Structure formats: C-alpha cells, structure tokens
Amino acid sequence: MTEGLDPAVAVITIVSGRHAHLRRQLEAFAHSTLAPLVHVVVAMDDPHIGGLVDDCAPHGHPVSLVHVSGGGDTLPLAEARNTGAAEAISRGAGLLVFLDVDCIPDSALLARYLRAATDAGPRLLFCGPVTYLPEGQPTFDARELRRFAAPHPARPAPRDDSVEFSSAMTLFWSLSFAVLAPDWEDIGGFHTGYEGYGGEDTDFALCARSKRCRNAWVGGAHAYHQHHPVSDPPVEHLRDILRNARVFHRRWGFWPMEGWLNGFADLGLIAYDAADDAWKATGRVSP
C-alpha cells in the first residue's frame, strides 16, 4: 500500500449452487457507496455461475470469474478463498473483503471496512455485524435492509463508524471480513488441509494471532445473511466436520467446534475415544 493513499478494495465471494443468493448479493452492489476495484467470484465445481454473473451483475460492477475444482465430493472452501485472494491481489487490491454468497452487503459495508482499515492500520482482521434474516424475509433490497438489522448476539456490534478491538480470536468468522493484503500474505491464507465444511476459519484466526493480529469489529459494516435450511447440529456435514476437527486438533492441540461434536455425540453418531484422544464415527445413521 502506498503511503498516504487508501488501498484499492476487492470483494471475494466463493460459490457453489446458491444461485438466488448470489443474484441478490450482486444486485445489492448497485447501491454500494463505494465501488470495488474488482469482485472476484470463485465458482467451485459450478459451470453455471458465469451465465448468472453476466445476467445479474450491475452495470459497472467489475466481476472477475474464477473456477476451481475440488476433485471430489467436498467443496474446496479454503483453496477457493486463497484463489480469490490471489486474483484480487494480482489486480492491485490492497484490502480484501471476503463475503459469503449467503450475505447481502449493506450499502456502507465496503466504505466502512475501508475507513476502518485506513484509520486502524495493519495487523487486524476486520469483521462487521451480521444479521440472520428470517425465513419469509419480505425484501432483499439493500436500501431497505438496514431497518431489519439485528446483529447476531454472540459477536460484538459497535455503534456505526466505531471500531472495537479484541484478542478473542475464536470469535472471528469468515462470512464477512476484511484484511489488508500484506497481512493476508503474512498469515498465509486459509490452510488447505481443511476440506469442506468446518474449522478452517478458526484455524485462520489462530494463524493470524500467531502473526500478532487482533480482531477489529467494525460498527455499521452490516451484512445480511439470507435464510436457508440448516440442521443443528449440521449432520449433513458430519464427515467434513469430523475430518476437519482432527486436522485442527493436530495443528493446535485442542478440539474445535465442540458444540457440534457434542451434539453429534448426543445423537450417537460419534464417540470420544479417550485412549486415542480422538472423536470417531460410530457408524450409526443420522436420525
């Protein structure tokens, strides 16, 4: 980043399916108060994303479409985010804004991330408040969503245009965050040993902590998470979560996603083997 100049902002969205969600996200950028340098859309084993982008991206919203393949039955989430970041940096981006395909950006999201990064500087992961919209949400118009804002209570939600700093890195979430490009490269991106769902975001946050980074919760950088059916615990992702929990345990020495692991155990789907210090599948079919 050149001294005295704001970094160019890139948005990075990874996607497989969720076409209606991507369409609404793209449409919302028509109302953004800050135009990004580029919006990198990374399609994971989904050949139909290109046509959707062509149809739905607002006029003047610059999209770079990149394809990655998982080569199996799990989505390469970590690889896709890393690929998107590399594309954004190659195009000159200095601030990377990662936004899950489920999330609709507030019109001020990019501007508030940029202001926070410019004012607060390096060694930070910038996270904004996220509202989980209910089923039957009456509108997805980005100009109207602020009146539905109800940030998730498990994360800080500072007042607009303020920033709250925290070293509680396990609160980091990857569905909406920003990071300066030099910090991203120093952290090393997401660890590609994780495949599919679960664990990679907490691993990234702990890698950031090892590089002396903290979280910075950015007031007013709202994202609105679109409803989709979920299980609690997410039994449809059991195999990914169990595998990724083992990867995480080997790297960090403790078990992540304990609520989900305990939930699977309550259903009889996994059991803790104290002798091996490992969670193992029982072979029981999920209810």
Side-chain angles (χ1 to χ4, degrees):
M1 184 170 67
T2 305
E3 186 70 25
L5 296 178
D6 290 344
V9 178
V11 181
I12 299 159
T13 300
I14 65 174
V15 57
S16 181
R18 300 283 169 85
H19 293 179
H21 290 169
L22 179 60
R23 174 178 56 79
R24 292 171 185 145
Q25 182 187 102
L26 288 169
E27 290 172 351
F29 279 106
H31 310 294
S32 178
T33 61
L34 176 69
L37 171 73
V38 64
H39 185 169
V40 182
V41 175
V42 185
M44 300 176 288
D45 294 314
D46 189 336
H48 304 294
I49 296 299
L52 188 150
V53 167
D54 290 342
D55 289 342
C56 300
H59 178 71
H61 183 66
V63 178
S64 175
L65 178 63
V66 181
H67 291 273
V68 298
S69 175
D73 59 356
T74 58
L75 293 176
L77 305 180
E79 179 189 353
R81 290 193 180 102
N82 294 349
T83 299
E87 171 70 7
I89 292 170
S90 75
R91 289 173 173 263
L95 181 66
L96 310 177
V97 177
F98 291 82
L99 194 64
D100 274 9
V101 68
D102 305 329
C103 292
I104 297 174
D106 187 88
S107 60
L109 180 141
L110 295 185
R112 284 187 163 126
Y113 273 148
L114 177 59
R115 178 174 176 178
T118 303
D119 291 348
R123 301 291 174 187
L124 293 166
L125 301 181
F126 301 94
C127 296
V130 176
T131 293
Y132 280 76
L133 299 173
E135 187 175 9
Q137 170 67 22
T139 180
F140 296 99
D141 188 321
R143 294 166 294 183
E144 300 290 333
L145 286 176
R146 176 58 72 96
R147 63 191 175 95
F148 297 98
H152 193 288
R155 300 294 189 277
R159 61 178 175 80
D160 288 2
D161 295 317
S162 65
V163 178
E164 180 179 323
F165 300 97
S166 171
S167 297
M169 300 305 288
T170 55
L171 290 181
F172 168 81
W173 51 12
S174 58
L175 73 174
S176 173
F177 79 98
V179 60
L180 289 166
D183 289 333
W184 166 266
E185 294 179 319
D186 192 30
I187 294 165
F190 285 83
H191 183 61
T192 55
Y194 296 92
E195 299 177 13
Y197 192 80
E200 84 285 350
D201 48 356
T202 305
D203 185 285
F204 177 79
L206 295 183
C207 288
R209 184 176 67 184
S210 74
K211 298 296 184 177
R212 296 178 287 111
C213 293
R214 296 184 295 160
N215 286 333
W217 298 94
V218 182
H222 288 281
Y224 307 95
H225 185 279
Q226 302 170 71
H227 176 83
H228 55 81
V230 295
S231 303
D232 187 17
V235 293
E236 64 271 25
H237 298 295
L238 186 149
R239 185 171 62 175
D240 288 354
I241 289 170
L242 190 57
R243 180 184 57 248
N244 287 344
R246 292 171 182 148
V247 172
F248 186 99
H249 186 266
R250 287 196 299 268
R251 283 170 57 77
W252 301 103
F254 67 95
W255 292 101
M257 304 176 283
E258 284 188 314
W260 288 345
L261 293 175
N262 289 329
F264 295 147
D266 290 342
L267 294 173
L269 302 176
I270 64 173
Y272 180 70
D273 186 329
D276 290 342
D277 186 23
W279 286 98
K280 297 180 180 180
T282 62
R284 178 178 171 182
V285 177
S286 59

